Amino acid sequence: MEKERHLLVEFGNKLITDGYTLGTGGNLSICDRENNYLAITPSGIPFHEIKPEDIVIIDYEGTIVEGDKKPSSEWVMHKLFYERRTDINSVIHGHTIYSTVLAELRWDLPATHYMIAVAGDDVKCAEYATYGTPELAENAFKAMENRKAVLLANHGILVGGDDILNAYNVLEEVEYCANIYYRAKSIGEPVVLPKEEMTLMADKFQSYGQQHLEQ
């Protein structure tokens, strides 16, 4: 998974430079569906220090297939999505500011901006559980049903996509919408778009502005 290693290093650094996390906060992975492996960032190493050879390859049981580092403590949460959802091939967890503000309030992010449709009709906040536990993985999976993003209570955000580029796009758009919602909420009550409009937006996004990694 040489290409995947380099992509994880690239997008891990992007999380830092774009201000979506700090230090070692967050984790990223890409799955190999042919072998039921996943490449995931290592635990406890700042993103700007991670090299391709530090990326850990594990199977769905958590057994290290390749690498001499410890995989992210959230590996169970990543693998759960790969096991149960065929539309997700990359998962990103970050500590973005505005999404985390909502997560600390344990609020959902409603459809007050049409760009929420990249993630679903809205973004739910999962029930709280300790980081790195199977309970958190299950809570996140449940709250992200029919969606591509979830807020992790008192923690951060988790997103998925058919590749890492699209997963990152979901992260960016949800964080933007959380920022706007925060600002609008501070001076009034944001208006929520109807479900019919969000369904229309989801259909439009199928053919507009989709980016894909070069093979």
Side-chain angles (χ1 to χ4, degrees):
M1 302 182 73
E2 192 64 27
K3 178 182 178 182
E4 289 80 3
R5 292 173 184 271
H6 285 274
L7 285 169
L8 291 171
V9 170
E10 176 187 345
F11 281 89
N13 278 312
K14 192 167 170 57
L15 279 177
I16 297 294
T17 58
D18 289 348
Y20 292 151
T21 200
L22 295 170
T24 63
N27 31 77
L28 310 86
S29 71
I30 302 172
C31 76
D32 171 1
R33 295 205 171 274
E34 184 177 348
N35 296 298
N36 288 336
Y37 292 161
L38 59 141
I40 192 165
T41 47
S43 177
I45 302 178
F47 283 110
H48 69 276
E49 295 179 11
I50 297 175
K51 301 178 178 62
E53 56 268 27
D54 295 324
I55 299 299
V56 189
I57 313 299
I58 60 174
D59 63 20
Y60 287 178
E61 300 301 317
T63 302
I64 295 177
V65 175
E66 195 170 302
D68 59 5
K69 301 293 190 297
K70 184 179 179 181
S72 165
S73 60
E74 301 287 11
W75 72 267
V76 173
M77 188 160 57
H78 290 247
K79 74 101 176 183
L80 199 65
F81 283 90
Y82 300 142
E83 284 183 320
R84 300 181 186 177
R85 288 189 53 173
T86 58
D87 61 321
I88 291 179
N89 298 309
S90 182
V91 170
I92 301 174
H93 164 48
H95 295 169
T96 59
I97 297 295
Y98 292 97
S99 296
T100 305
V101 166
L102 299 186
E104 291 199 352
L105 292 166
R106 300 195 183 181
W107 289 359
D108 297 338
L109 174 59
T112 52
H113 193 292
Y114 72 89
M115 285 306 298
I116 288 287
V118 301
D121 289 342
D122 55 17
V123 180
K124 301 293 186 186
C125 183
E127 292 184 14
Y128 180 80
T130 303
Y131 83 91
T133 62
E135 290 78 14
L136 179 59
E138 290 288 352
N139 291 353
F141 182 82
K142 179 180 178 181
M144 204 166 114
E145 184 177 3
N146 299 320
R147 293 165 175 81
K148 291 191 174 178
V150 62
L151 304 179
L152 306 177
N154 303 90
H155 189 161
I157 185 173
L158 184 85
V159 302
D162 61 355
D163 62 27
I164 196 169
L165 180 61
N166 278 288
Y168 199 87
N169 180 59
V170 173
L171 181 79
E172 288 183 309
E173 296 297 349
V174 171
E175 177 63 4
Y176 169 77
C177 291
N179 184 340
I180 296 302
Y181 181 68
Y182 169 94
R183 293 167 188 257
K185 192 79 172 172
S186 70
I187 58 173
E189 190 58 38
V191 177
V192 178
L193 293 168
K195 181 174 175 58
E196 295 76 18
E197 180 65 10
M198 297 307 289
T199 299
L200 175 61
M201 289 300 103
D203 290 341
K204 289 172 74 71
F205 288 168
Q206 294 296 320
S207 58
Y208 173 77
Q210 292 294 306
Q211 302 179 70
H212 294 283
L213 292 167
E214 294 182 5
Q215 299 298 318

